[in-house]
Amino acid sequence: MKQIKFLNIQIDKYFVLLIMTALLFSCADFDRDFENERYLTVSHAEANASAGGTIGLQALDGAILSYLRDGEGSTDEFGLKALDIGMDLRGNDMDMSRNTWFGAYNNYDNIILTSNDNDFIWEFFYKVINNANGIINTVPDDAPQIALNFKFKSHAYRAIAYFYLIRIYQHTKASDDTKAIPIDLGDFTGGNRATVGEVKQLILDDLTLAYNGLSTYSRPTKQEVDSNVVAAYLARYHLTYENWSEAEKYADVAMNVGSLSTDVNHGFDELSLSEVIWGSEVTAATSEVYASFFSHMSQINDGYSGWNHFKTVNSNLFDFIPTTDSRRSWFADADYDPWTVFFPDTWGHYNVTPKYTSLKFIAHPGPGVFIGDYIYLRNTEFYLTKAEALARQGKDGDAQQVLLALNTTRDPNYTQSTNTGQALIDEILMYRRVELWGDGVASFDMARTGTGLNRKDGRLNPVMPGADLVIPPLDDKMIYQIPLREIDAAGPDF
């Protein structure tokens, strides 16, 4: 990590641009006035924060949010949503028809220490960490609340990044004394890896600090982090590490953000949707066109997915979805000819659409335009999180009620489950696989539940050649190797 320190202008050209011209990025994204940002230095920011000013902090916060949206320069490196695709392609429920962008996630070729994808994952999250550290270490603890809000947000960014890293580079069920990844609090100069327990504690401490610190903060848009966003990640954290009562507590907060909707065929491309907790607006000015989520995931947007790079659902999961469940429409139920219009107010596509192809994600206003917003969190996930947490505590009736509340918005014929115990947990997990398909949680759910990869399960949907894999849980292929350049930079004790 010596090579990616906070604002290292000799190495990180991207963040040089963000810091030198953050006014342009931030105004475009958040309609804020960062007129004086170009004069910012670290010492200026610290003095500004101590005095209660936030111009520089707004710019740095906007830079982090922009980076979470945009990522790096390659076609498959567009920030968090690229990782959502990649992580789901490592699971049991999403396949692709041919080896192209993201293919190395699907066939597990990119777990090796010299992989470009591996370098991107590592660099992406440590850049978030390093830049979050810059804000955390700049704002004094006794600064005015308006400045402290940016510090608390940065604790959330750092926690989110470490939460991804610890699950990607170490087994979720590894013991707390297992070596994991380095911890950088802003003063990292090389050294050994921290243990799983140390990283988990840092994540929990950061999230708790952010949740409490942002308790009275009212964000202007869904693009910004507030206590509800932090509650969602606390729910994810506690579900992952089997702290069921805490998972229930924070899931209850997150599931009550916004409201459920019976309309599931809108394409998931607008932050204004009632189920959205957190995301990023994408405009014509900020769209990365073909290097974007909807290019790779929307069958009818004339991007990579529509060019015979079909993303398909495991046919066994499709068969599980009742015919009365509106989520079944997220996937093609037959082979369709070109120019088929699947939903009102959309359009035909020049290519064929094979059965099981994803139709869940559509960027409006039309083909060749990729300005759909990026959704990071939806409240529906946390209905399922709360239901699972309740069921794992033996509160079957309460779990059934929560599952009923969600599923009746998707399926008018759904009735309260009569399952109990493990059968109820299994039902909830199946509905997680359906509801959250394409949202980036599938492989993480596999890791926390001890589920292996099995693509030789009789599925009928197209599977990329070489990706019909069977990998047992806790096999080292299920996690990534730390990149070689990091090992070389860290030294022999790493």
Side-chain angles (χ1 to χ4, degrees):
M1 286 188 304
K2 295 181 223 178
Q3 70 270 32
I4 55 172
K5 291 297 292 175
F6 173 67
L7 301 183
N8 185 338
I9 60 173
Q10 294 180 344
I11 301 296
D12 194 344
K13 296 180 180 178
Y14 186 93
F15 275 94
V16 172
L17 284 172
L18 286 177
I19 296 308
M20 296 302 293
T21 64
L23 169 63
L24 300 178
F25 282 86
S26 302
C27 283
D29 295 342
F30 306 112
D31 295 321
R32 292 169 166 168
D33 182 6
F34 293 158
E35 181 178 355
N36 298 317
E37 190 281 328
R38 58 185 173 273
Y39 304 117
L40 176 69
T41 64
V42 172
S43 60
H44 177 194
E46 186 172 6
N48 194 45
S50 298
T54 60
I55 293 173
L57 295 173
Q58 286 177 343
L60 292 172
D61 184 73
I64 293 173
L65 290 171
S66 294
Y67 187 61
L68 288 171
R69 180 194 64 213
D70 298 338
E72 296 290 336
S74 179
T75 302
D76 57 355
E77 294 178 351
F78 42 90
L80 273 181
K81 294 306 291 182
L83 268 298
D84 281 352
I85 296 175
M87 293 300 105
D88 267 15
L89 281 169
R90 287 172 51 79
N92 279 315
D93 296 328
M94 183 187 292
D95 292 301
M96 53 194 297
S97 59
R98 57 184 294 194
N99 196 344
T100 177
W101 298 109
F102 291 100
Y105 289 93
N106 197 220
N107 64 14
Y108 281 60
D109 277 357
N110 64 4
I111 65 171
I112 61 174
L113 45 79
T114 55
S115 160
N116 289 335
D117 290 335
N118 193 355
D119 274 346
F120 161 65
I121 296 169
W122 186 269
E123 181 179 22
F124 175 72
F125 286 116
Y126 273 109
K127 280 184 178 179
V128 173
I129 290 164
N130 292 334
N131 285 273
N133 283 335
I135 296 177
I136 291 168
N137 296 330
T138 293
V139 180
D141 290 338
D142 60 353
Q145 184 64 42
I146 192 172
L148 285 174
N149 288 337
F150 291 101
K151 184 169 188 170
F152 296 135
K153 289 180 187 182
S154 288
H155 279 288
Y157 303 142
R158 186 169 72 181
I160 292 166
Y162 274 121
F163 189 43
Y164 274 95
L165 287 166
I166 191 66
R167 294 176 298 162
I168 292 171
Y169 289 95
Q170 189 49 271
H171 294 291
T172 298
K173 292 185 173 294
S175 63
D176 280 356
D177 60 355
T178 305
K179 278 189 175 183
I181 55 176
I183 286 178
D184 180 9
L185 300 178
D187 55 358
F188 188 81
T189 56
N192 212 337
R193 291 173 287 162
T195 65
V196 168
E198 290 168 335
V199 178
K200 286 165 58 178
Q201 190 62 54
L202 175 61
I203 296 167
L204 182 57
D205 289 347
D206 271 349
L207 288 175
T208 303
L209 187 63
Y211 181 72
N212 292 330
L214 295 171
S215 61
T216 60
Y217 170 69
S218 179
R219 61 181 176 174
T221 75
K222 292 181 183 179
Q223 296 188 82
E224 301 197 34
V225 167
D226 65 0
S227 61
N228 291 324
V229 173
V230 181
Y233 281 99
L234 278 164
R236 282 185 173 182
Y237 174 91
H238 288 298
L239 190 74
T240 298
Y241 298 115
E242 302 183 354
N243 306 316
W244 307 125
S245 63
E246 292 295 285
E248 175 194 346
K249 169 186 170 181
Y250 289 108
D252 186 69
V253 175
M255 67 183 260
N256 283 297
V257 179
S259 60
L260 295 176
S261 172
T262 57
D263 178 12
V264 300
N265 293 325
H266 39 56
F268 295 95
D269 67 334
E270 295 286 346
L271 293 190
S272 61
L273 296 171
S274 67
E275 296 176 352
V276 175
I277 299 175
W278 183 42
S280 183
E281 182 182 2
V282 176
T283 67
T286 60
S287 171
E288 296 183 286
V289 193
Y290 293 111
S292 68
F293 179 80
F294 289 96
S295 171
H296 288 274
M297 289 299 295
S298 175
Q299 172 65 9
I300 65 173
N301 271 107
D302 290 359
Y304 283 105
S305 180
W307 297 337
N308 296 320
H309 303 173
F310 311 121
K311 304 299 189 300
T312 62
V313 65
N314 180 344
S315 63
N316 297 311
L317 183 62
F318 178 81
D319 290 342
F320 165 81
I321 306 172
T323 56
T324 54
D325 191 318
S326 57
R327 290 171 291 200
R328 194 174 174 93
S329 65
W330 287 348
F331 312 103
D333 59 355
D335 294 327
Y336 286 94
D337 292 331
W339 307 115
T340 300
V341 176
F342 294 100
F343 305 114
D345 301 319
T346 62
W347 51 90
H349 176 60
Y350 66 85
N351 205 351
V352 298
T353 298
K355 187 176 182 179
Y356 307 115
T357 296
S358 171
L359 302 170
K360 181 177 180 180
F361 303 104
I362 302 170
H364 296 82
V369 181
F370 306 97
I371 56 174
D373 296 339
Y374 287 174
I375 297 172
Y376 303 143
L377 295 170
R378 290 188 297 124
N379 60 14
T380 57
E381 175 183 344
F382 302 99
Y383 277 81
L384 293 158
T385 296
K386 184 176 180 180
E388 182 182 345
L390 287 165
R392 291 189 184 276
Q393 295 175 82
K395 301 176 182 178
D396 291 345
D398 292 340
Q400 293 165 358
Q401 285 290 330
V402 175
L403 185 61
L404 178 70
L406 171 62
N407 279 350
T408 50
T409 67
R410 277 39 179 159
D411 182 356
N413 289 353
Y414 183 84
T415 57
Q416 184 170 326
S417 176
T418 58
N419 287 323
T420 59
Q422 187 60 48
L424 177 59
I425 293 169
D426 290 343
E427 180 184 2
I428 294 166
L429 290 174
M430 285 298 292
Y431 276 110
R432 278 184 71 89
R433 292 168 62 186
V434 174
E435 177 68 33
L436 304 180
W437 190 93
D439 290 348
V441 303
S443 64
F444 295 126
D445 275 357
M446 289 169 59
R448 70 177 178 84
T449 58
T451 303
L453 183 73
N454 180 14
R455 298 201 185 119
K456 294 184 178 179
D457 55 358
R459 65 186 64 190
L460 302 176
N461 56 293
V463 177
M464 187 179 80
D468 55 339
L469 304 172
V470 176
I471 304 175
L474 298 180
D475 189 291
D476 280 345
K477 290 180 182 178
M478 299 296 277
I479 59 174
Y480 280 74
Q481 301 171 15
I482 292 177
L484 179 62
R485 65 176 182 170
E486 183 66 24
I487 297 172
D488 288 344
D493 296 330
F494 189 71

